[in-house]
Amino acid sequence: MSPTAAKWRSALARVTTVDKETHDTFTLSLEPADGQTLETFAPGQFSMLYVFGVSELPISISGDPQEDGRLTYTVRSVGRATQALVSRQPGQTLRVRSPFGRPWPLEAARGKDVLIVAGGIGLAPLRSVIYHVLRHREDYVRLMVLYGARSPTDLLYRKQLAQWARLPDTQILTTVDYGGTSWRGQVGVVTTLFRHLRLHSAQTVAFICGPEIMMRYVTRQLAARGLPESQIYLSMERNMKCAVGFCGRCQLGPYFVCKDGPIFSYEEMRPWLDRHEL
Ligand SMILES: Cc1cc2nc3c(=O)[nH]c(=O)nc-3n(C[C@H](O)[C@H](O)[C@H](O)COP(=O)(O)OP(=O)(O)OC[C@H]3O[C@@H](n4cnc5c(N)ncnc54)[C@H](O)[C@@H]3O)c2cc1C
């Protein structure tokens, strides 16, 4: 894949909605403020969101790429900046620098099955792929989504997952680490869902996002099932500040995650995925 030239722009945006997804995760929609415009994006790209007086942080765009003029993000509150972000109220403003990064290579998946494997908040940057595939259904064969979360109450987009599961040529499988007494679904790590898949390896492109340990196991298992490394892509996450390859904060081996990623092929990432603390 060749790096995407960043044509980003900085704009003031107003929060229109804040929807609670789980106890710690919220989906925010932004519209342009003061007559400015928000740049369009490709699935997998991210924005730098500046919460005034707090911090600027990278967040993937989780909405529909064809949603006009708006940007949507799903944010898990894990610290000061994310807590400030999810506490914004409709009407408040943020500064948005966007879009950044290399998107998911949807061209490589044309005419093939699309396999999405996500863990936790990792479904957020993949939801825009799902929207894209569903809008361009004739360009892809089957859509398969394997999604794992810690518990049933940590599953994102539950209503949407149920709606998508009813669509033709679409398979949605979920699993949780701990089910509790009322959960009737699958329990176990996301790779336990592989046994429910009919994988046509040569005809499948896989997009993966989640904790690195999960991506390590998923990529290995897909490769062992005959999926060529060049047809497996993953989204990497590193702390970053500038988002344009200057500050070096997000260096990962020979790459800067902000501009060479966040989406990488398994071919590119394999030597670095197996090294700890990089
Ligand atoms: C390209 C990209 C896209 C992202 N997309 C999303 C998204 O869609 N939704 C979302 O909720 N989050 C996303 N993140 C992560 C988000 O940017 C961080 O959670 C946020 O910057 C943490 O800031 P904080 O001040 O809230 O927490 P901090 O106080 O900075 O950190 C809280 C905890 O999280 C850890 N942490 C912080 N940032 C990272 C990181 N980048 N990688 C690994 N561990 C980290 C810290 O070590 C600490 O343990 C993305 C990150 C990147 C690089």
Side-chain angles (χ1 to χ4, degrees), residues 46 58-60 74-76 78-82 237-240:
F46 66 93
I59 297 289
S60 301
T74 303
V75 185
R76 175 142 80 206
V78 294
R80 189 164 166 260
T82 44
E237 198 181 304
R238 286 293 180 276
N239 268 320
M240 57 180 68

Side-chain angles (χ1 to χ4, degrees), residues 132-184:
H132 175 92
V133 170
L134 295 179
R135 274 192 188 272
H136 301 88
R137 205 60 197 85
E138 63 291 351
D139 290 343
Y140 306 93
V141 188
R142 289 182 301 157
L143 171 64
M144 297 167 284
V145 179
L146 309 189
Y147 178 39
R150 272 176 296 200
S151 75
T153 54
D154 289 305
L155 286 165
L156 296 179
Y157 317 135
R158 278 181 83 159
K159 269 197 198 146
Q160 277 188 310
L161 290 169
Q163 285 163 1
W164 294 330
R166 290 195 285 272
L167 298 174
D169 297 319
T170 305
Q171 190 178 12
I172 309 280
L173 300 173
T174 54
T175 184
V176 296
D177 296 340
Y178 309 102
T181 48
S182 54
W183 173 250
R184 297 277 166 270

Side-chain angles (χ1 to χ4, degrees), residues 80-131:
R80 189 164 166 260
T82 44
Q83 174 57 38
L85 189 54
V86 302
S87 307
R88 293 298 92 176
Q89 297 297 317
Q92 290 187 305
T93 52
L94 300 170
R95 184 151 285 279
V96 179
R97 289 196 288 139
S98 187
F100 291 106
R102 192 162 58 160
W104 298 104
L106 286 157
E107 272 306 308
R110 257 178 115 101
K112 297 198 167 73
D113 288 347
V114 176
L115 171 63
I116 284 174
V117 188
I121 189 74
L123 189 56
L126 283 162
R127 186 169 69 158
S128 50
V129 173
I130 300 174
Y131 284 127

Side-chain angles (χ1 to χ4, degrees), residues 228-232 234 255 264-271:
E229 288 183 3
S230 58
Q231 288 171 212
I232 303 175
L234 43 155
Y255 304 110
F264 294 92
S265 71
Y266 183 42
E267 260 175 335
E268 293 169 311
M269 231 356 83
R270 186 167 36 78

